[in-house]
Amino acid sequence: MPTIYFNPKEAESIYILREVAAQFERPVLLFSGGKDSITLVRLAQKAFYPAKIPFPLLHIDTGHNFPETIQFRDELVKELGLELIVRNVQDSIDQGKVREEKGRYASRNTLQTTTLLDAIEEFKFDACIGGARRDEEKARAKERVFSVRDDFGQWDEKNQRPELFDMLNGRIDQGQNVRVFPISNWTELDVWEYIKTENIKIPSIYFAHKREVFFRDGLIWTANEHVYREPHEEVVEKMVRFRTVGDMTCTAAVLSQADTLDAVVEEIRQSTISERGARIDDKRSEAAMEKRKKVGYF
Amino acid sequence: MENRKLIKIATAGSVDDGKSTLIGRLLYDTGSLTTDKLEAIEKTSRQRGFDYLDFSLATDGLVAEREQGITIDVAHIYFNTDKTNFIVADTPGHVEYTRNMVTGASTSQVAIILIDARKGVIEQTYRHFFISNLLRLSHVVVTINKMDLVGYDEDVFLKIKSDFDALVEKSCFRTEQITFIPISALKGENIAKKSTEMPWYVGNTLLDHLEVLEPEDLQEQAFARFPVQYVIRPKTDAFHDFRGFSGKLYGGNLQVGDQVTILPSFTESKIKSIQFFDRQLEVAVPGSSVTITLEDEVDISRGDMIVKSTELPSSEKSITATICQVNHKPLKVGEKYTLQHGVNRVLARVESIHSKIQTDFSGEESTDALKLNDIGKVSFKLSKAIHFDPYQVNRSNGSFILIDEGTHDTVSVGFIEARN
């Protein structure tokens, strides 16, 4: 057994998670079943060991998730004895709060924001921990580790608290909440290398498998009843995997033969396409992510 | 991820010195710009009628920034080489420059200061170097950019270097902590590949130079300080009596068996174990987030500090510090704030403002308020003693922030001076 162990990015993330537990009354970890939130769960385990993780997980379920992800989520929660809260976008649709998009690029991704903000209000969460990384997208590069949102859930990108040294200021007014990003400073490769080193379990859709897909705009879409498809768009079976896991309607697959963690890490290392290159929601406009974040998107 | 070094860099340059271009170039030359991002840059560059790739588009992330072609807020950029992970805090040279550079530099070990070869050392350069000096960064790389616009002339480089050397003499830096590199970020000269245009320059390229730096050399040699963030009490069957103190270690090492003192109670005990998740460690190194258990039952809560008994910090209820104001609301005598020192919070009242310090090394003047971007010397009275080291000895245990009681905003950052 080594007598010294040190990984600076991991140490920083653990420090942030402990600050959340110490500074807030009702924190929650936003869990999507993707590799980043799975990494957060491992980091939280490490931060509070041998005690249990002192906050619940919250999954905003679009209803269009990959079934493999949901199954994985339930197994993880059971194995670690975690508390899981699920809120459904379908409920927000049924209540008439949001309207389902129609047509070629219809997605429930943006609808999640309303369901999330309602859940924050329902449970009076004052800190929402998320797995966003600054390397993902250029608007995210401007994000603070403790990012204050007003009581409408809005992000004011021009008026952010400076973060100095390690000192995190989580003081907020009633009604405000803080979005916390413990792995801000990690890159996609850091996350994959960590999953490999730590041997962390991840949903099977991250590994190459055969799937029915169709091609549009140079992207590979899942052929499924939830994803709008024109009659001429032909369904084919391909070996694919996913680099990012979200709603099926906005997550494109990549052609891949990588069926082990080693192969996946190697593929990411060699890749010349960014992770968000396969996020259909980001292609809507140059500032798509920033616009969503301003109104409360995670 | 474990085997790679981590180097944290802050960039500083005036508007149009080519800071974003330099960062974009570093990303491009290290293969960190993916095809889709590069395509986006090509497309937008073309739309704007440029006949070159505008790498600043890679880093200016906000709509308002792209509209105005300027950087508004600190952005964090990442790139990796085989041996090293780099984090770059890209700090704007435009508005609120002092606040933003202090913010970016506070988490960095190295500063890259850009100088436009055509303009030479200007007022902004003084400020950038002043802040690097105030924050006691370990290393400064002075890149003289746009050498292509001065015919790659060695004399231009030497003149700027000698002007800058005059600044270094006024600072606490030693000459070996400063490196000068002539570059062209736009053309990629001396960034990742050695320039054939400047055979007179015999030093490393920028990237080679950054690779040579070792994190250990960039670390301060200070006493171990372990502020307690969180007390771990599982109360489960397996860990019924477990009481662990979690935190991040600053300064030196801590080892199992070390005789320690707990502040503020000055109780003594011995380190029984150092835990990291399900591992038991013999030694905790600076920067690591571990959990410590002690031989004795001691009353310890968040904000307390564990130190070696032979290496006690200062414990004082009144302090003097250099302050940088990072909020629009000015700091005035008599005002009350929450002072956050590490993870510990106490109340603080401004007793006196001694001076406002000019960031061009020209001296100090008296004032009754410090406005946004001002730097000054201030004395505070505290509700409880804090346990600190002077900033020059330990950056983490010598710095604090002030939080406004009404708005909860972070309004100032302070660097504690040694007790006279």
Side-chain angles (χ1 to χ4, degrees):
Chain A
M1 186 183 291
T3 56
I4 296 180
Y5 169 87
F6 180 48
N7 172 337
K9 288 193 179 182
E10 179 191 51
E12 181 186 69
S13 304
I14 289 172
Y15 170 84
I16 294 163
L17 286 165
R18 288 171 177 164
E19 281 304 287
V20 177
Q23 291 198 38
F24 296 93
E25 299 272 331
R26 299 185 66 83
V28 70
L29 192 155
L30 303 179
F31 186 81
S32 68
K35 64 180 190 312
D36 299 307
S37 49
I38 293 168
T39 299
L40 281 184
V41 170
R42 169 59 58 92
L43 290 165
Q45 268 184 290
K46 290 197 171 191
F48 303 104
Y49 182 89
K52 273 171 55 173
I53 297 174
F55 35 74
L57 310 188
L58 171 65
H59 183 215
I60 302 299
D61 190 341
T62 62
H64 293 174
N65 283 294
F66 294 95
E68 296 93 328
T69 312
I70 301 295
Q71 191 195 338
F72 177 89
R73 175 196 77 188
D74 294 339
E75 283 168 12
L76 182 80
V77 164
K78 206 171 145 203
E79 189 186 321
L80 301 182
L82 304 172
E83 185 191 341
L84 171 73
I85 299 166
V86 179
R87 285 294 174 270
N88 296 298
V89 171
Q90 186 62 51
D91 293 339
S92 304
I93 296 172
D94 294 345
Q95 290 158 14
K97 288 184 171 172
V98 291
R99 207 172 53 200
E100 185 102 69
E101 295 181 352
K102 295 220 164 30
R104 209 165 147 79
Y105 295 98
S107 166
R108 285 187 167 183
N109 191 46
T110 35
L111 310 187
Q112 286 180 83
T113 303
T114 303
T115 318
L116 170 63
L117 294 180
D118 282 351
I120 290 172
E121 219 169 293
E122 180 187 349
F123 293 95
K124 309 252 176 306
F125 292 128
D126 50 4
C128 303
I129 304 160
R133 307 186 321 269
R134 288 172 177 150
D135 82 320
E136 276 178 74
E137 211 274 346
K138 49 193 184 306
R140 285 240 160 108
K142 302 277 170 177
E143 185 77 83
R144 297 291 187 263
V145 172
F146 271 21
S147 186
V148 179
R149 304 296 166 104
D150 68 12
D151 44 5
F152 296 95
Q154 296 181 109
W155 182 57
D156 182 358
E157 83 288 2
K158 285 189 181 170
N159 187 23
Q160 302 194 72
R161 278 180 193 164
E163 284 179 340
L164 297 137
F165 299 92
D166 271 352
M167 288 174 280
L168 294 167
N169 170 8
R171 294 264 292 249
I172 46 171
D173 281 326
Q174 200 70 33
Q176 292 181 328
N177 69 80
V178 171
R179 303 289 169 88
V180 182
F181 304 107
I183 56 167
S184 284
N185 283 332
W186 295 41
T187 62
E188 185 190 13
L189 185 59
D190 288 335
V191 171
W192 279 113
E193 287 181 340
Y194 190 70
I195 287 171
K196 190 182 140 189
T197 318
E198 294 279 320
N199 203 12
I200 299 173
K201 274 190 247 166
I202 48 171
S204 56
I205 58 169
Y206 280 115
F207 300 105
H209 57 282
K210 279 192 181 152
R211 182 177 288 268
E212 295 208 312
V213 295
F214 66 97
F215 289 80
R216 180 199 293 160
D217 302 342
L219 295 171
I220 305 168
W221 301 60
T222 300
N224 181 292
E225 75 268 26
H226 297 307
V227 184
Y228 178 88
R229 196 174 76 243
E230 308 253 328
H232 70 272
E233 288 171 327
E234 187 197 348
V235 176
V236 288
E237 195 180 69
K238 291 277 176 197
M239 274 296 267
V240 296
R241 61 175 213 91
F242 292 87
R243 266 174 88 174
T244 152
V245 168
D247 193 276
M248 272 192 267
T249 55
C250 65
T251 314
V254 290
L255 293 174
S256 173
Q257 300 291 330
D259 55 359
T260 63
L261 259 183
D262 283 332
V264 167
V265 172
E266 200 43 44
E267 191 184 277
I268 300 289
R269 228 178 244 151
Q270 306 292 337
S271 174
T272 59
I273 303 287
S274 80
E275 180 184 4
R276 288 256 153 205
R279 284 305 283 254
I280 293 145
D281 43 333
D282 285 346
K283 303 222 159 187
R284 290 189 172 192
S285 84
E286 202 183 349
M289 168 75 88
E290 182 182 345
K291 282 183 188 151
R292 288 203 306 276
K293 273 158 61 74
K294 274 185 169 178
V295 296
Y297 182 76
F298 137 82
Chain B
M1 180 175 175
E2 265 175 70
N3 305 324
R4 243 178 260 148
K5 339 183 255 193
L6 177 66
I7 306 274
K8 299 182 179 181
I9 303 167
T11 59
S14 310
V15 185
D16 293 333
D17 279 353
K19 211 153 34 67
S20 300
T21 308
L22 175 65
I23 293 169
R25 171 62 72 175
L26 278 170
L27 291 174
Y28 180 69
D29 285 353
T30 53
S32 311
L33 270 185
T34 50
T35 315
D36 51 324
K37 284 184 184 162
L38 202 58
E39 276 168 8
I41 291 169
E42 278 167 2
K43 192 174 139 204
T44 311
S45 297
R46 249 198 328 273
Q47 277 170 358
R48 295 193 178 176
F50 301 147
D51 55 0
Y52 55 89
L53 293 182
D54 182 4
F55 285 124
S56 68
L57 295 165
T59 57
D60 287 344
L62 301 170
V63 174
E65 293 178 319
R66 289 193 296 273
E67 270 168 14
Q68 301 171 55
I70 56 162
T71 313
I72 290 176
D73 205 336
V74 181
H76 290 84
I77 319 282
Y78 307 83
F79 66 93
N80 299 339
T81 59
D82 287 341
K83 284 176 277 180
T84 316
N85 281 330
F86 292 101
I87 301 180
V88 181
D90 177 21
T91 65
H94 203 259
V95 283
E96 302 181 355
Y97 29 79
T98 306
R99 158 192 142 131
N100 286 322
M101 187 179 164
V102 169
T103 303
S106 75
T107 51
S108 301
Q109 304 142 323
V110 181
I112 298 180
I113 296 178
L114 270 98
I115 296 178
D116 185 329
R118 297 168 306 172
K119 296 179 191 157
V121 173
I122 57 170
E123 197 210 327
Q124 291 263 46
T125 317
Y126 286 109
R127 186 181 298 118
H128 297 145
F129 186 60
F130 183 89
I131 293 170
S132 307
N133 186 55
L134 173 69
L135 269 82
R136 310 265 167 181
L137 295 184
S138 309
H139 200 90
V140 171
V141 188
V142 184
T143 52
I144 292 111
N145 190 24
K146 307 197 182 181
M147 287 301 291
D148 52 313
L149 298 182
V150 294
Y152 299 106
D153 185 354
E154 184 180 12
D155 288 342
V156 173
F157 173 76
L158 290 175
K159 167 76 171 62
I160 293 172
K161 184 177 177 300
S162 115
D163 288 349
F164 202 98
D165 280 338
L167 278 184
V168 177
E169 274 175 33
K170 294 181 189 176
S171 75
C172 306
F173 277 100
R174 300 181 309 276
T175 45
E176 67 268 24
Q177 290 175 283
I178 320 264
T179 307
F180 297 87
I181 307 178
I183 62 165
S184 164
L186 190 70
K187 311 262 165 150
E189 304 288 342
N190 283 339
I191 307 295
K193 73 170 180 11
K194 203 135 174 46
S195 173
T196 50
E197 304 282 355
M198 293 176 274
W200 46 265
Y201 173 73
V202 291
N204 279 331
T205 64
L206 178 59
L207 201 58
D208 282 343
H209 177 67
L210 295 174
E211 284 266 20
V212 168
L213 300 171
E214 288 296 332
E216 306 83 73
D217 301 337
L218 299 175
Q219 233 162 53
E220 60 210 340
Q221 303 299 315
F223 291 139
R225 305 295 182 223
F226 190 77
V228 175
Q229 264 190 291
Y230 196 79
V231 180
I232 295 193
R233 286 235 53 190
K235 290 184 187 163
T236 53
D237 290 346
F239 297 96
H240 189 75
D241 295 322
F242 187 93
R243 269 180 87 225
F245 307 102
S246 294
K248 195 168 160 191
L249 178 63
Y250 300 95
N253 294 342
L254 281 181
Q255 283 190 47
V256 173
D258 279 348
Q259 182 75 32
V260 291
T261 298
I262 294 97
L263 302 165
S265 67
F266 288 92
T267 326
E268 297 207 15
S269 187
K270 240 186 205 146
I271 296 181
K272 184 173 157 190
S273 73
I274 298 170
Q275 310 222 352
F276 181 74
F277 195 32
D278 49 4
R279 306 184 198 198
Q280 303 273 341
L281 305 180
E282 209 41 54
V283 180
V285 296
S288 58
S289 286
V290 294
T291 299
I292 287 175
T293 66
L294 299 174
E295 296 279 3
D296 309 283
E297 285 281 318
V298 191
D299 172 18
I300 301 180
S301 46
R302 174 172 162 88
D304 292 358
M305 192 186 288
I306 299 173
V307 301
K308 284 187 194 167
S309 298
T310 50
E311 301 172 349
L312 296 182
S314 305
S315 299
E316 300 286 348
K317 275 183 79 169
S318 58
I319 55 165
T320 299
T322 302
I323 290 291
C324 175
Q325 196 62 10
V326 295
N327 191 276
H328 286 91
K329 211 164 154 184
L331 182 110
K332 290 183 187 146
V333 174
E335 301 267 306
K336 213 170 75 184
Y337 298 93
T338 296
L339 183 148
Q340 181 171 341
H341 173 238
V343 298
N344 188 25
R345 285 179 183 157
V346 297
L347 290 175
R349 195 171 57 224
V350 180
E351 287 287 283
S352 59
I353 301 177
H354 303 281
S355 60
K356 179 186 159 184
I357 304 168
Q358 304 299 340
T359 53
D360 59 359
F361 294 91
S362 69
E364 305 177 18
E365 64 179 55
S366 65
T367 183
D368 53 4
L370 293 174
K371 298 193 294 290
L372 176 65
N373 290 319
D374 281 354
I375 291 172
K377 202 180 275 187
V378 180
S379 286
F380 296 90
K381 194 167 182 217
L382 313 178
S383 61
K384 279 187 217 146
I386 60 167
H387 311 279
F388 66 91
D389 296 289
Y391 181 79
Q392 63 189 72
V393 179
N394 186 321
R395 287 176 76 186
S396 307
N397 201 37
S399 54
F400 61 82
I401 54 173
L402 297 178
I403 300 172
D404 185 283
E405 294 269 280
T407 62
H408 304 312
D409 280 336
T410 301
V411 291
S412 332
V413 53
F415 312 92
I416 310 175
E417 307 220 325
R419 195 92 195 146
N420 292 323

